[in-house]
Amino acid sequence: MSISSLFREFGPNVAIAAAVPTAAVLVFAIYMTRFDLQWGAFLTGILLAGILSLVDRTLRAEHLVTNYSAKLVIAQFELEREKNEREALEEQYLSAKARLQFIDEAMPFMLAYVDDQRRCRHHSRAFAAFVRLPPDRIDGRLLRDVLGHHFYSEIEHAVDEVLEARTFYVERTRRMPEGAIYHLLIQCLPRFASEGSVTGFYVVLTDITDRRHVGSGGAHGPADALQQERGEEHGAGADTLRAQEMLGDSIAERITGRKDAAQHIVSAIENDEFTLFCQLIRPLLGRDSGQPGHYEILVRLIEEEQNLLPPGAFFPLAEKHGLMPHLDRWVVEHVLKWASPRKARNTDAAREKCFVNVAAATISDPDFPEFVLRQLQRYDVPGSTLCFEMRLSDVMAQLGDAAEFARSVKTGGCRIALSDYGVDRASLNVLKHVPADFIKIDGGIVLNIVRDPVQFAKVASIGRMAKAIGVRTIGELVEDGETIARLQEADIDFAQGYGISRPRPLEGVAE
């Protein structure tokens, strides 16, 4: 311990100890010289000076004690604040860890995080199972080595774009070692540092090879004959639907971290927290060539673009809680709001059609057609602008409601499209009851027409049948020029897919 610190610690006590005997000596000296006024005054002055000095030291000591007490209170407050912040961070960490574990173990799509050096830093179990590598051959390895050089070369341009801070979606086909063929939706989502630079990106692989939709709701009227044709398929489909709804509910709530996820979607609708994308539907044949293409409207939750959510992750929960009619109304209103000034300025735009998907609950909503007619009048847009797209499974599950829905919206000039066409042997019977203007051939069939003559023959047969009854055909999930050429051979009118156009924001569509 230094001399200065010793002095600071014991100085006040030494001063007090010295002051007491000094004061006693001065008092005694004053008494002894009481008849000598000069000495008495001198000694009295010394005594007063000593007393004032002692008082000054006492006040200084009290001031220091007060300062140290205040600093101690502040330190205690800071310590309590840091303790609370640490507990909050630990709680957030545990919550994030639980959600990450859920994504890792239970999510149905494949996920990996790749840093800006293109090395994998995290992956889900589904991703490891897909690439068929143990964790020690994934983490820390280059994405090229994990996916294989051939597969990586097909998406390398997507990796380049995402590292330049652009979200990227692409569809690719991959043949597995045992011969199985998978069609994948590949999403690359950038991850940003606090200063805005890209520190890496997420790769999400979703298997869409055999994408099927299962409808819900009761059936009546002409649907009974169709259900008899399908046998037990409808009952099994209902069980599958319930399982899918439970899984979708769990996924949506666990990812968003909200128990009131349904209210969150309602709030998003009311506050315009959704955004619209579109994908071009391009004409293929002579009678439509030179005509403007059409657009399928895709709805995205803005939160999906900012978080680790695949497009449409909120749909299962919205369907579970009966919110799809509200969302479909939002889509119709905003599509017409976008189309109104566009059609006034562009004559070609007046012939374009916006394909709007409607959910099973919307098809059975008796007030929805009236809402559509009011919005058409409000925005002064012809009904032919809207083409309502219904999934074939939804139509077959509630054929009476679907037929009434089509009849009602067609009174306003709207068009009807049936998607997933060709996957069910009762597809043809649906057209007897629902007057469709377009049928969209299921992507699972179109995907294989280049290498499978049976599937090509099926598509060609659908094309001939559609032309005989005056219905236009659209091939879905078109990825490359070979598929486009085969669709043209099969006399299909339109094509849609990543080989035609990637989804893009609706507001960005040129005049």
Side-chain angles (χ1 to χ4, degrees):
M1 184 178 294
S2 64
I3 297 176
S4 60
S5 61
L6 287 173
F7 180 79
R8 283 196 302 269
E9 185 173 354
F10 297 107
N13 296 328
V14 172
I16 293 173
V20 174
T22 301
V25 171
L26 287 172
V27 171
F28 179 72
I30 292 171
Y31 176 77
M32 294 301 294
T33 60
R34 64 185 179 279
F35 300 109
D36 190 338
L37 295 179
Q38 291 181 347
W39 277 101
F42 174 71
L43 294 174
T44 300
I46 294 175
L47 178 61
L48 290 175
I51 292 173
L52 291 174
S53 177
L54 185 61
V55 171
D56 179 66
R57 280 185 169 274
T58 302
L59 293 176
R60 286 176 177 273
E62 289 180 355
H63 178 69
L64 290 174
V65 170
T66 302
N67 284 345
Y68 287 141
S69 298
K71 290 180 180 179
L72 179 61
V73 170
I74 294 174
Q76 289 176 337
F77 175 78
E78 290 293 330
L79 181 63
E80 184 68 22
R81 183 178 63 81
E82 290 179 1
K83 178 184 176 183
N84 293 337
E85 288 181 352
R86 185 189 66 193
E87 291 177 350
L89 289 173
E90 288 178 350
E91 184 177 350
Q92 292 177 11
Y93 167 75
L94 293 176
S95 175
K97 182 179 180 181
R99 291 165 64 184
L100 183 62
Q101 183 178 1
F102 176 76
I103 292 175
D104 181 40
E105 296 179 355
M107 292 302 287
F109 50 80
M110 291 77 78
L111 168 69
Y113 173 68
V114 183
D115 64 17
D116 55 358
Q117 301 301 314
R118 309 191 184 203
R119 293 186 179 274
C120 293
R121 296 301 178 188
H122 180 78
H123 65 278
S124 66
R125 292 188 181 183
F127 182 86
F130 178 75
V131 298
R132 303 188 178 188
L133 292 174
D136 60 346
R137 293 187 58 190
I138 299 177
D139 292 335
R141 302 297 182 95
L142 290 171
L143 185 62
R144 178 188 298 275
D145 297 332
V146 173
L147 296 179
H149 292 267
H150 177 70
F151 188 41
Y152 179 80
S153 65
E154 295 181 350
I155 66 167
E156 188 170 8
H157 64 291
V159 175
D160 293 337
E161 287 204 20
V162 76
L163 288 175
E164 295 178 2
R166 293 194 293 268
T167 301
F168 195 89
Y169 301 92
V170 67
E171 292 182 14
R172 286 292 180 267
T173 303
R174 187 183 187 192
R175 183 182 295 274
M176 303 303 289
E178 76 281 5
I181 297 174
Y182 287 90
H183 197 75
L184 301 173
L185 171 62
I186 304 170
Q187 304 164 73
C188 297
L189 313 171
R191 181 177 184 270
F192 297 96
S194 56
E195 68 275 10
S197 62
V198 177
T199 60
F201 60 94
Y202 299 97
V203 179
V204 184
L205 309 176
T206 307
D207 181 12
I208 56 174
T209 306
D210 192 25
R211 183 182 289 166
R212 296 290 184 267
H213 304 288
V214 183
S216 61
H220 52 83
D224 296 337
L226 293 177
Q227 290 178 7
Q228 291 176 3
E229 275 192 55
R230 299 172 69 200
E232 300 297 325
E233 293 177 6
H234 181 69
D239 293 337
T240 304
L241 174 64
R242 285 190 290 271
Q244 289 177 342
E245 287 180 340
M246 293 175 62
L247 177 61
D249 199 343
S250 173
I251 288 173
E253 292 187 7
R254 291 292 295 274
I255 290 181
T256 59
R258 299 173 62 109
K259 293 184 179 179
D260 60 337
Q263 183 58 41
H264 178 52
I265 294 178
V266 173
S267 175
I269 295 173
E270 294 174 349
N271 297 319
D272 283 345
E273 294 177 11
F274 287 91
T275 184
L276 294 178
F277 280 62
C278 66
Q279 187 175 36
L280 177 65
I281 302 174
R282 196 184 82 186
L284 296 179
L285 300 179
R287 62 173 176 169
D288 294 302
S289 60
Q291 299 293 322
H294 307 308
Y295 295 98
E296 177 168 356
I297 303 301
L298 310 170
V299 61
R300 299 281 187 264
L301 184 62
I302 294 177
E303 191 174 339
E304 292 178 331
E305 304 300 312
Q306 301 170 345
N307 295 331
L308 188 63
L309 291 177
F314 62 89
F315 279 127
L317 190 61
E319 291 178 345
K320 171 80 172 180
H321 294 278
L323 299 176
M324 288 305 297
H326 300 283
L327 181 58
D328 288 342
R329 282 173 167 81
W330 184 94
V331 172
V332 167
E333 180 177 358
H334 284 74
V335 167
L336 294 177
K337 184 178 180 180
W338 167 82
S340 180
R342 175 180 170 83
K343 293 182 180 299
R345 295 190 298 264
N346 189 332
T347 56
D348 283 341
R351 291 177 290 172
E352 296 172 347
K353 292 177 176 50
C354 295
F355 284 64
V356 177
N357 291 274
V358 286
T362 305
I363 295 172
S364 59
D365 181 355
D367 298 326
F368 186 80
E370 183 179 350
F371 168 82
V372 172
L373 298 179
R374 289 199 307 268
Q375 295 304 311
L376 290 170
Q377 184 176 10
R378 174 187 176 186
Y379 289 103
D380 192 24
V381 175
S384 59
T385 300
L386 296 178
C387 180
F388 289 103
E389 182 174 326
M390 299 186 288
R391 294 180 302 199
L392 187 66
S393 55
D394 291 339
V395 172
M396 296 177 72
Q398 45 185 352
L399 190 56
D401 287 341
E404 178 60 24
F405 175 89
R407 185 198 64 77
S408 299
V409 297
K410 273 179 167 287
T411 61
C414 301
R415 304 294 190 259
I416 293 294
L418 298 178
S419 63
D420 304 334
Y421 196 86
V423 299
D424 194 294
R425 62 178 179 268
S427 299
L428 181 60
N429 287 339
V430 173
L431 295 174
K432 298 177 182 178
H433 306 285
V434 179
D437 302 281
F438 297 86
I439 55 176
K440 301 181 76 172
I441 304 171
D442 184 76
I445 300 173
V446 175
L447 178 64
N448 297 307
I449 62 174
V450 172
R451 55 182 171 271
D452 189 339
V454 174
Q455 298 288 50
F456 174 77
K458 188 173 187 178
V459 170
S461 175
I462 293 173
R464 289 192 298 271
M465 177 274 299
K467 282 190 170 44
I469 61 176
V471 176
R472 299 292 179 88
T473 50
I474 303 172
E476 295 184 289
L477 217 62
V478 176
E479 187 177 328
D480 50 44
E482 288 183 290
T483 304
I484 293 174
R486 295 292 277 171
L487 287 175
Q488 290 173 323
E489 290 179 37
D491 211 20
I492 302 303
D493 300 300
F494 295 87
Q496 177 185 358
Y498 277 68
I500 301 296
S501 172
R502 288 165 40 205
R504 51 179 169 161
L506 183 62
E507 292 294 338
V509 175
E511 291 292 338

